[in-house]
Structures are given as structure tokens and as C-alpha cells.
Amino acid sequence: MAEPTDTSPVALRTSPLAHLADRMRTAAVTGARGVTLAERPFLTMVNLRLDPASEAADRVAKTLGAPLPRECGHTTASGPHTAVWLGPDEWLVLSEPPIDTAELRQALAGDPGSVVDVSANRTTLELSGPAARQVLEKGCRLDLHPRAFGPGRALSTTVGPVPALLWQLDDAPTYRLLPRSSFADYLARWLIDAMSEYRGPEVP
Amino acid sequence: MLLITCPWCGPRDEAEYHYGGQAHVPYPERPADLDDEQWAAYVFYRDNPKGPFAERWMHSTGCRRWFNVLRDTVSYEVLASYRLDAPRPELPQAGGNR
């Protein structure tokens, strides 16, 4: 007799990096040059496009609880939602727990624009620890020094050869990298490789 | 490697962009009236100046917007970048050590 299985979509889903979870855990480095890597799967991501000067933008901001960021690199957070600037009329709303897209669509109220759930488009990698910036600097062309980049900033760029959204959470520093799901395997392996150096003593 | 300033995102590495050819090539006003030679000129023929050249670029890993760049084809110096709705900027007259 077949065992009863939970067939709800939430129970059946598999994150793009589930097969690397153990590898990422064992790659963690502790100490003064510590750095850890983990996947934060199933963040809800909503792509939002609208005219920032329109009334719809105000209505959406009200629904989110925070104004939409107007400048490159900026994010605005309110409760479980963070709105990330992707372009002059494009944002990515990251939420955990999930945001109700119907509410946002209602706020748009038929004005030109779109609200699309793109949660499956990307996955989230969390890179944290004193050496996290050094790991990223091996393959990211942005200036990640605190004078140019800091907590609450997010930019789309490339890490290694992989296009990803890079978002800094705190001063640890903790970064979140959001690559496309199909590139996530490569990026995770790339990061694991880049982290391995910090296990040993510093080479002067 | 070029350092190109995106009008929205600021200076970024050339590898973040895609090239889009010559800028300011208007679509024919009366396309139906064009003969083959004129179509060919519109579709394929582009300027190849020695010096400042207005060209289109797209910030593909950033904001994904098209914009125009004024680049010197001799020195590869990026002279200006501007949005698609902006006119081609006037260059300051050659001075200094030129």
C-alpha cells in the first residue's frame, strides 16, 4: 500500500540549491577570517513595474508601508518587505513571509504597470562573516568598501561570471546574492571554492 | 577595459554592458517610398568616424536600460553618456593638450 504523501505545492517544492546544502555547510570557515554560506530558499519576490511619478506609485508605497526607492542601489524596508531598485521604473519586492500580490495588483488599480510574482526566478544565497567582502571581491567588480556600499544597499551586478543581485544586510558583513535559479549551482560552487582559502593561515 | 557611466546607475565596468551600434539613426519617415538601395543604406550603412562617435549601449546586468554614449574611436575615451530622450551633447572645443 502506498504511503500517504503530502502533495501540496509547498511540500513538494525543492530549492535550486538543496543538493548543495551539505557542501555549503561544511565549507563554513570560523575565526577572524570566518565566512559562511547558506541558501535562504523560497523568498517571495515580486517584480513591480510602474511610473514612479504616478499616483499608482503612491498607492503601492502605501500598501508596502514604505516609499519605493528612487535611486540606484537603494532599498526601502518595511516589516517583512524590502523593495529593491532594479531600474527607473522597476523594483523587486522581497518578502518573507509571502506578500499578497493581489493586494499590490489592487493598488495598481488598472494603471499602466505590472505586478508579477517571480519567486522561482531567483534563489537567495547568504554569505556572511568577516571575510565575506574579500570572497566577493575575487569576482565582483563593484566597490564594496563601506565608503561606497553598506547595509541596506543592493545592486545588480556580476559575481564571477554570474549576473546576480547583491544586497548587503548588515555590517558583519552579511550579503545576500540573488542569482537566477539555473545559475545558482555554479555560483554556489564558485563561492565555496573562493571561501576555501580562508580556512588556512593568511599568506602575507 | 572601458568605464562607462550609466545615466541611472553611475560608472560601471564595460563587461556589464551590451553594445548597440550607432545612435541617432532615425527610422525612415515614409518607409513605403524607399527603394532597395535606400533601405540598404538605412539598415546596413553606418558611419565610421575617427574621433567622437555617438553609439547605443545597454546596461544589461544593471538597470537594463538603453542609453547613448559619446566615445572617441581613437582613444576609446568615453566622452559623455546621456539618456535616449536627450540630444547629443555638444563637446567642449578641443583644448588643453590636444
Side-chain angles (χ1 to χ4, degrees), chain B residues 70-97:
Chain B
L70 212 54
R71 182 177 63 94
D72 192 311
T73 56
V74 179
S75 64
Y76 275 54
E77 188 186 351
V78 177
L79 303 164
S81 59
Y82 51 103
R83 296 180 185 190
L84 290 182
D85 52 6
R88 178 180 163 143
E90 292 295 326
L91 283 178
Q93 285 303 307
N97 55 3

mmCIF file of all heavy atoms in Angstrom, chain B residues 70-97:
data_model
loop_
_atom_site.group_PDB
_atom_site.id
_atom_site.type_symbol
_atom_site.label_atom_id
_atom_site.label_comp_id
_atom_site.label_asym_id
_atom_site.label_seq_id
_atom_site.Cartn_x
_atom_site.Cartn_y
_atom_site.Cartn_z
ATOM 1 N N LEU B 70 28.909 58.838 -25.990
ATOM 2 C CA LEU B 70 29.777 59.507 -26.954
ATOM 3 C C LEU B 70 31.189 59.019 -26.676
ATOM 4 O O LEU B 70 31.719 59.261 -25.587
ATOM 5 C CB LEU B 70 29.663 61.023 -26.754
ATOM 6 C CG LEU B 70 29.817 61.914 -27.966
ATOM 7 C CD1 LEU B 70 28.863 61.494 -29.074
ATOM 8 C CD2 LEU B 70 29.560 63.357 -27.582
ATOM 9 N N ARG B 71 31.749 58.294 -27.631
ATOM 10 C CA ARG B 71 33.052 57.664 -27.395
ATOM 11 C C ARG B 71 34.018 58.080 -28.479
ATOM 12 O O ARG B 71 33.644 58.184 -29.655
ATOM 13 C CB ARG B 71 32.881 56.133 -27.395
ATOM 14 C CG ARG B 71 34.145 55.358 -27.115
ATOM 15 C CD ARG B 71 33.845 53.863 -27.078
ATOM 16 N NE ARG B 71 33.351 53.370 -28.363
ATOM 17 C CZ ARG B 71 34.135 52.831 -29.307
ATOM 18 N NH1 ARG B 71 35.420 52.692 -29.092
ATOM 19 N NH2 ARG B 71 33.623 52.420 -30.443
ATOM 20 N N ASP B 72 35.240 58.316 -28.096
ATOM 21 C CA ASP B 72 36.269 58.652 -29.069
ATOM 22 C C ASP B 72 36.822 57.351 -29.641
ATOM 23 O O ASP B 72 37.366 56.525 -28.907
ATOM 24 C CB ASP B 72 37.383 59.458 -28.385
ATOM 25 C CG ASP B 72 38.324 60.089 -29.402
ATOM 26 O OD1 ASP B 72 38.772 59.363 -30.311
ATOM 27 O OD2 ASP B 72 38.615 61.287 -29.277
ATOM 28 N N THR B 73 36.668 57.153 -30.943
ATOM 29 C CA THR B 73 37.086 55.877 -31.532
ATOM 30 C C THR B 73 38.603 55.767 -31.663
ATOM 31 O O THR B 73 39.111 54.711 -32.014
ATOM 32 C CB THR B 73 36.458 55.676 -32.916
ATOM 33 O OG1 THR B 73 36.802 56.781 -33.735
ATOM 34 C CG2 THR B 73 34.956 55.553 -32.821
ATOM 35 N N VAL B 74 39.320 56.842 -31.416
ATOM 36 C CA VAL B 74 40.784 56.776 -31.487
ATOM 37 C C VAL B 74 41.344 56.434 -30.106
ATOM 38 O O VAL B 74 42.086 55.465 -29.946
ATOM 39 C CB VAL B 74 41.375 58.118 -31.975
ATOM 40 C CG1 VAL B 74 42.895 58.032 -32.015
ATOM 41 C CG2 VAL B 74 40.818 58.484 -33.333
ATOM 42 N N SER B 75 40.941 57.186 -29.098
ATOM 43 C CA SER B 75 41.496 56.992 -27.755
ATOM 44 C C SER B 75 40.630 56.063 -26.900
ATOM 45 O O SER B 75 41.039 55.673 -25.815
ATOM 46 C CB SER B 75 41.630 58.338 -27.046
ATOM 47 O OG SER B 75 40.345 58.898 -26.850
ATOM 48 N N TYR B 76 39.452 55.713 -27.390
ATOM 49 C CA TYR B 76 38.479 54.902 -26.641
ATOM 50 C C TYR B 76 37.992 55.614 -25.383
ATOM 51 O O TYR B 76 37.417 54.999 -24.507
ATOM 52 C CB TYR B 76 39.052 53.523 -26.273
ATOM 53 C CG TYR B 76 38.874 52.525 -27.388
ATOM 54 C CD1 TYR B 76 39.327 52.812 -28.661
ATOM 55 C CD2 TYR B 76 38.236 51.315 -27.178
ATOM 56 C CE1 TYR B 76 39.152 51.911 -29.696
ATOM 57 C CE2 TYR B 76 38.057 50.412 -28.210
ATOM 58 C CZ TYR B 76 38.518 50.717 -29.468
ATOM 59 O OH TYR B 76 38.332 49.825 -30.481
ATOM 60 N N GLU B 77 38.216 56.894 -25.298
ATOM 61 C CA GLU B 77 37.767 57.646 -24.138
ATOM 62 C C GLU B 77 36.253 57.814 -24.212
ATOM 63 O O GLU B 77 35.711 58.166 -25.253
ATOM 64 C CB GLU B 77 38.451 59.017 -24.140
ATOM 65 C CG GLU B 77 38.216 59.810 -22.887
ATOM 66 C CD GLU B 77 38.795 61.220 -22.995
ATOM 67 O OE1 GLU B 77 39.525 61.505 -23.967
ATOM 68 O OE2 GLU B 77 38.496 62.027 -22.115
ATOM 69 N N VAL B 78 35.591 57.545 -23.111
ATOM 70 C CA VAL B 78 34.147 57.775 -23.052
ATOM 71 C C VAL B 78 33.932 59.242 -22.705
ATOM 72 O O VAL B 78 34.265 59.691 -21.617
ATOM 73 C CB VAL B 78 33.482 56.853 -22.016
ATOM 74 C CG1 VAL B 78 32.003 57.162 -21.912
ATOM 75 C CG2 VAL B 78 33.688 55.399 -22.404
ATOM 76 N N LEU B 79 33.395 60.002 -23.673
ATOM 77 C CA LEU B 79 33.327 61.451 -23.508
ATOM 78 C C LEU B 79 32.061 61.883 -22.776
ATOM 79 O O LEU B 79 32.073 62.853 -22.031
ATOM 80 C CB LEU B 79 33.390 62.135 -24.880
ATOM 81 C CG LEU B 79 34.643 61.780 -25.705
ATOM 82 C CD1 LEU B 79 34.463 62.167 -27.158
ATOM 83 C CD2 LEU B 79 35.871 62.462 -25.125
ATOM 84 N N ALA B 80 30.977 61.180 -23.022
ATOM 85 C CA ALA B 80 29.718 61.545 -22.370
ATOM 86 C C ALA B 80 28.761 60.373 -22.473
ATOM 87 O O ALA B 80 28.891 59.526 -23.353
ATOM 88 C CB ALA B 80 29.106 62.773 -23.037
ATOM 89 N N SER B 81 27.811 60.303 -21.564
ATOM 90 C CA SER B 81 26.715 59.352 -21.725
ATOM 91 C C SER B 81 25.427 60.088 -21.375
ATOM 92 O O SER B 81 25.412 60.942 -20.498
ATOM 93 C CB SER B 81 26.914 58.117 -20.852
ATOM 94 O OG SER B 81 27.005 58.473 -19.501
ATOM 95 N N TYR B 82 24.378 59.775 -22.114
ATOM 96 C CA TYR B 82 23.134 60.524 -21.934
ATOM 97 C C TYR B 82 21.946 59.645 -22.270
ATOM 98 O O TYR B 82 22.069 58.635 -22.956
ATOM 99 C CB TYR B 82 23.146 61.785 -22.805
ATOM 100 C CG TYR B 82 23.481 61.567 -24.263
ATOM 101 C CD1 TYR B 82 22.478 61.568 -25.239
ATOM 102 C CD2 TYR B 82 24.787 61.347 -24.675
ATOM 103 C CE1 TYR B 82 22.782 61.363 -26.572
ATOM 104 C CE2 TYR B 82 25.094 61.128 -26.004
ATOM 105 C CZ TYR B 82 24.096 61.138 -26.941
ATOM 106 O OH TYR B 82 24.395 60.919 -28.259
ATOM 107 N N ARG B 83 20.791 60.020 -21.752
ATOM 108 C CA ARG B 83 19.589 59.218 -21.952
ATOM 109 C C ARG B 83 19.100 59.311 -23.385
ATOM 110 O O ARG B 83 19.452 60.234 -24.125
ATOM 111 C CB ARG B 83 18.492 59.699 -21.000
ATOM 112 C CG ARG B 83 18.898 59.466 -19.569
ATOM 113 C CD ARG B 83 17.845 59.936 -18.610
ATOM 114 N NE ARG B 83 18.372 59.791 -17.249
ATOM 115 C CZ ARG B 83 17.665 59.930 -16.142
ATOM 116 N NH1 ARG B 83 16.385 60.217 -16.220
ATOM 117 N NH2 ARG B 83 18.216 59.777 -14.968
ATOM 118 N N LEU B 84 18.247 58.381 -23.741
ATOM 119 C CA LEU B 84 17.775 58.319 -25.126
ATOM 120 C C LEU B 84 16.967 59.560 -25.503
ATOM 121 O O LEU B 84 16.928 59.945 -26.666
ATOM 122 C CB LEU B 84 16.900 57.071 -25.327
ATOM 123 C CG LEU B 84 17.640 55.744 -25.287
ATOM 124 C CD1 LEU B 84 16.680 54.606 -25.545
ATOM 125 C CD2 LEU B 84 18.765 55.704 -26.314
ATOM 126 N N ASP B 85 16.297 60.167 -24.503
ATOM 127 C CA ASP B 85 15.470 61.326 -24.837
ATOM 128 C C ASP B 85 16.268 62.624 -24.824
ATOM 129 O O ASP B 85 15.715 63.695 -25.062
ATOM 130 C CB ASP B 85 14.268 61.422 -23.882
ATOM 131 C CG ASP B 85 14.689 61.384 -22.423
ATOM 132 O OD1 ASP B 85 15.904 61.396 -22.167
ATOM 133 O OD2 ASP B 85 13.805 61.328 -21.549
ATOM 134 N N ALA B 86 17.544 62.544 -24.535
ATOM 135 C CA ALA B 86 18.372 63.750 -24.506
ATOM 136 C C ALA B 86 19.068 63.922 -25.852
ATOM 137 O O ALA B 86 19.384 62.938 -26.514
ATOM 138 C CB ALA B 86 19.400 63.642 -23.391
ATOM 139 N N PRO B 87 19.301 65.174 -26.277
ATOM 140 C CA PRO B 87 20.029 65.380 -27.529
ATOM 141 C C PRO B 87 21.512 65.082 -27.351
ATOM 142 O O PRO B 87 22.008 65.033 -26.223
ATOM 143 C CB PRO B 87 19.804 66.860 -27.819
ATOM 144 C CG PRO B 87 19.591 67.479 -26.477
ATOM 145 C CD PRO B 87 18.931 66.428 -25.624
ATOM 146 N N ARG B 88 22.185 64.882 -28.476
ATOM 147 C CA ARG B 88 23.624 64.629 -28.406
ATOM 148 C C ARG B 88 24.322 65.847 -27.805
ATOM 149 O O ARG B 88 24.141 66.963 -28.296
ATOM 150 C CB ARG B 88 24.139 64.365 -29.826
ATOM 151 C CG ARG B 88 25.629 64.125 -29.884
ATOM 152 C CD ARG B 88 26.086 63.870 -31.309
ATOM 153 N NE ARG B 88 27.531 64.051 -31.390
ATOM 154 C CZ ARG B 88 28.325 63.308 -32.145
ATOM 155 N NH1 ARG B 88 27.820 62.380 -32.903
ATOM 156 N NH2 ARG B 88 29.620 63.522 -32.154
ATOM 157 N N PRO B 89 25.063 65.652 -26.730
ATOM 158 C CA PRO B 89 25.681 66.823 -26.086
ATOM 159 C C PRO B 89 26.769 67.434 -26.950
ATOM 160 O O PRO B 89 27.462 66.724 -27.685
ATOM 161 C CB PRO B 89 26.256 66.243 -24.790
ATOM 162 C CG PRO B 89 26.399 64.789 -25.034
ATOM 163 C CD PRO B 89 25.387 64.395 -26.056
ATOM 164 N N GLU B 90 26.859 68.764 -26.862
ATOM 165 C CA GLU B 90 27.930 69.463 -27.563
ATOM 166 C C GLU B 90 29.220 69.223 -26.794
ATOM 167 O O GLU B 90 29.257 69.333 -25.574
ATOM 168 C CB GLU B 90 27.629 70.961 -27.604
ATOM 169 C CG GLU B 90 26.442 71.327 -28.478
ATOM 170 C CD GLU B 90 26.697 71.020 -29.950
ATOM 171 O OE1 GLU B 90 27.854 71.163 -30.386
ATOM 172 O OE2 GLU B 90 25.743 70.615 -30.640
ATOM 173 N N LEU B 91 30.243 68.869 -27.531
ATOM 174 C CA LEU B 91 31.528 68.657 -26.872
ATOM 175 C C LEU B 91 32.215 69.989 -26.687
ATOM 176 O O LEU B 91 32.166 70.836 -27.562
ATOM 177 C CB LEU B 91 32.416 67.753 -27.724
ATOM 178 C CG LEU B 91 32.091 66.273 -27.682
ATOM 179 C CD1 LEU B 91 33.027 65.532 -28.609
ATOM 180 C CD2 LEU B 91 32.219 65.735 -26.276
ATOM 181 N N PRO B 92 32.865 70.167 -25.558
ATOM 182 C CA PRO B 92 33.669 71.387 -25.417
ATOM 183 C C PRO B 92 34.750 71.382 -26.492
ATOM 184 O O PRO B 92 35.281 70.324 -26.834
ATOM 185 C CB PRO B 92 34.261 71.264 -24.013
ATOM 186 C CG PRO B 92 34.073 69.847 -23.603
ATOM 187 C CD PRO B 92 32.935 69.288 -24.402
ATOM 188 N N GLN B 93 35.031 72.543 -27.034
ATOM 189 C CA GLN B 93 36.018 72.618 -28.113
ATOM 190 C C GLN B 93 37.348 72.034 -27.644
ATOM 191 O O GLN B 93 37.722 72.174 -26.479
ATOM 192 C CB GLN B 93 36.223 74.088 -28.532
ATOM 193 C CG GLN B 93 35.073 74.625 -29.361
ATOM 194 C CD GLN B 93 34.817 73.803 -30.615
ATOM 195 O OE1 GLN B 93 35.732 73.567 -31.391
ATOM 196 N NE2 GLN B 93 33.583 73.345 -30.798
ATOM 197 N N ALA B 94 37.993 71.339 -28.556
ATOM 198 C CA ALA B 94 39.266 70.710 -28.232
ATOM 199 C C ALA B 94 40.208 71.749 -27.645
ATOM 200 O O ALA B 94 40.417 72.809 -28.222
ATOM 201 C CB ALA B 94 39.881 70.099 -29.478
ATOM 202 N N GLY B 95 40.724 71.457 -26.486
ATOM 203 C CA GLY B 95 41.617 72.412 -25.844
ATOM 204 C C GLY B 95 42.649 71.647 -25.061
ATOM 205 O O GLY B 95 42.903 70.488 -25.342
ATOM 206 N N GLY B 96 43.221 72.287 -24.087
ATOM 207 C CA GLY B 96 44.192 71.606 -23.248
ATOM 208 C C GLY B 96 45.366 71.126 -24.052
ATOM 209 O O GLY B 96 45.926 71.868 -24.865
ATOM 210 N N ASN B 97 45.685 69.860 -23.933
ATOM 211 C CA ASN B 97 46.904 69.367 -24.578
ATOM 212 C C ASN B 97 46.630 68.752 -25.942
ATOM 213 O O ASN B 97 47.432 68.008 -26.469
ATOM 214 C CB ASN B 97 47.612 68.362 -23.661
ATOM 215 C CG ASN B 97 46.690 67.241 -23.261
ATOM 216 O OD1 ASN B 97 45.539 67.194 -23.726
ATOM 217 N ND2 ASN B 97 47.161 66.344 -22.422
#
